[in-house]
Amino acid sequence: MGFEERGVRCNYDNSLTWLLVKFLKEFQLNKFSTMKPNTFIIIFIIFFFTITTCSSSTDSVEIIPVKEADKVQVTVYYESLCPYCENFIVNYLIDVFSEGIDAIADVKLFPYGNAKVNSNGNITCQHGEQECLLNTVEACAINTWPDVHDHFPFIFCVERYLYYGKFDKWESCFEELSLDPTPVKDCYTNGLGYQLDLQYADVTNALQPPKKYVPWVVVDGKPLYDDYIYIITNICGMYKGPTLPKACLRCLASSKNPIVAPHDRLIPLHPVTYADDSSSPLLSKLRSSLMSLMFKRNIAA
């Protein structure tokens, strides 16, 4: 899906969504086989009616001249195979770019997440070697094309394939976007990618307040905690410049969510991946698929 095909969504969901996710997370695999069909039907009905949208726009994206010093600083800490990071990038962060919010925001991406550097210098990733590879590939893409408007389309493309379970398709993003894969592949193989990973590790581990989970989104130095889906509302609310994009005016006018995110909750309202999360890949994928269904319902509404 191209950037131009989307309209801004200032989504508002409630605790039922997270209760459903928590229910699925805690369910053992052998219980799914004995669950009655009616139970699944009830779950899906509850799930599909927990989300509404504030607006959808088909207006062309406006161009607003903004001084670099006035831009809101946005940093996104994530890992490539985290289902909630995939969901955030594909369904929410994309709106920052598709609706012109990037005119007032300086967005930086840090693909490291909950990885760890061992005493021997090796890096282990939460979702295995494939995640380490993709984290490094995305770090190399950021290094190769430093402007976020150049590297975000590639990262979005990769994460979109991962989001829909097409893990073997991500390399096709080079061809789809007419990008030369050579500098990214060289970066991965010649050791530069590893050095970039170590730099991201240092930055991520030095965060204050410390990162608790991913996705971890910080807007002008303030973490959004589990309210990361309200990234546009927060960017717009923190922007001090003279002119707001139209998308900001729509979101702020209809926002039911505080502009400044609350303190960390004991149970996150929106799903996140903790460093010690040991959920099975199947359950994580199921939760991600449910989010995909939710998203499709939203854009069809």
Side-chain angles (χ1 to χ4, degrees):
M1 180 178 294
F3 295 176
E4 70 282 355
E5 298 174 4
R6 303 172 52 99
V8 66
R9 296 169 293 106
C10 316
N11 299 64
Y12 309 115
D13 60 359
N14 57 38
S15 58
L16 287 177
T17 303
W18 175 235
L19 288 176
L20 173 61
V21 173
K22 186 172 178 58
F23 169 79
L24 291 174
K25 180 178 178 180
E26 294 179 351
F27 234 82
Q28 299 297 324
L29 290 176
N30 61 345
K31 293 184 180 180
F32 277 103
S33 61
T34 60
M35 183 180 290
K36 296 180 180 179
N38 287 342
T39 304
F40 271 117
I41 294 174
I42 293 173
I43 289 174
F44 274 93
I45 290 174
I46 292 174
F47 186 76
F48 283 137
F49 282 91
T50 57
I51 303 294
T52 59
T53 58
C54 76
S55 65
S56 179
S57 171
T58 56
D59 298 338
S60 59
V61 176
E62 61 199 311
I63 299 176
I64 299 176
V66 178
K67 296 179 180 179
E68 287 297 319
D70 292 336
K71 287 189 175 182
V72 178
Q73 299 300 305
V74 179
T75 48
V76 178
Y77 302 87
Y78 71 101
E79 55 194 23
S80 61
L81 291 181
C82 159
Y84 311 127
C85 299
E86 295 166 6
N87 175 63
F88 171 70
I89 292 171
V90 172
N91 296 333
Y92 297 98
L93 185 58
I94 177 60
D95 288 336
V96 172
F97 298 92
S98 65
E99 288 294 326
I101 305 299
D102 55 317
I104 63 170
D106 181 14
V107 181
K108 291 183 172 63
L109 303 172
F110 291 83
Y112 178 80
N114 293 328
K116 296 179 180 179
V117 181
N118 301 329
S119 57
N120 58 7
N122 291 332
I123 298 175
T124 58
C125 297
Q126 189 166 21
H127 299 93
E129 293 182 4
Q130 181 74 3
E131 181 169 81
C132 280
L133 182 152
L134 291 171
N135 283 352
T136 306
V137 165
E138 293 186 10
C140 287
I142 294 170
N143 184 74
T144 301
W145 306 296
D147 190 311
V148 68
H149 300 95
D150 294 330
H151 64 248
F152 181 75
F154 175 79
I155 290 174
F156 172 82
C157 181
V158 171
E159 293 297 319
R160 181 186 57 188
Y161 276 122
L162 301 179
Y163 181 70
Y164 288 108
K166 300 178 180 179
F167 302 100
D168 59 336
K169 299 290 187 181
W170 69 267
E171 288 189 75
S172 64
C173 290
F174 291 111
E175 182 177 357
E176 288 180 24
L177 298 171
S178 300
L179 297 172
D180 180 7
T182 303
V184 173
K185 292 183 177 180
D186 287 347
C187 169
Y188 178 80
T189 57
N190 65 17
L192 175 58
Y194 172 71
Q195 295 301 320
L196 294 172
D197 291 337
L198 293 180
Q199 292 175 24
Y200 285 163
D202 289 341
V203 172
T204 302
N205 293 332
L207 281 171
Q208 291 298 329
K211 173 188 66 64
K212 292 180 177 292
Y213 38 68
V214 289
W216 186 258
V217 182
V218 180
V219 178
D220 262 4
K222 297 180 180 179
L224 302 190
Y225 293 96
D226 57 321
D227 273 351
Y228 55 83
I229 70 168
Y230 301 107
I231 183 171
I232 287 183
T233 305
N234 279 274
I235 291 173
C236 295
M238 294 184 186
Y239 177 61
K240 307 303 181 185
T243 306
L244 282 172
K246 292 178 182 178
C248 280
L249 299 177
R250 290 194 299 272
C251 285
L252 291 176
S254 57
S255 176
K256 301 176 184 177
N257 190 66
I259 297 219
V260 178
H263 292 297
D264 200 16
R265 284 177 276 257
L266 181 61
I267 299 179
L269 183 63
H270 304 106
V272 297
T273 299
Y274 288 89
D276 58 353
D277 191 342
S278 58
S279 298
S280 73
L282 178 59
L283 286 180
S284 294
K285 192 60 191 175
L286 177 58
R287 296 199 299 275
S288 181
S289 297
L290 286 173
M291 287 183 177
S292 174
L293 291 173
M294 171 190 71
F295 169 60
K296 291 178 182 178
R297 173 184 175 271
N298 282 347
I299 62 174

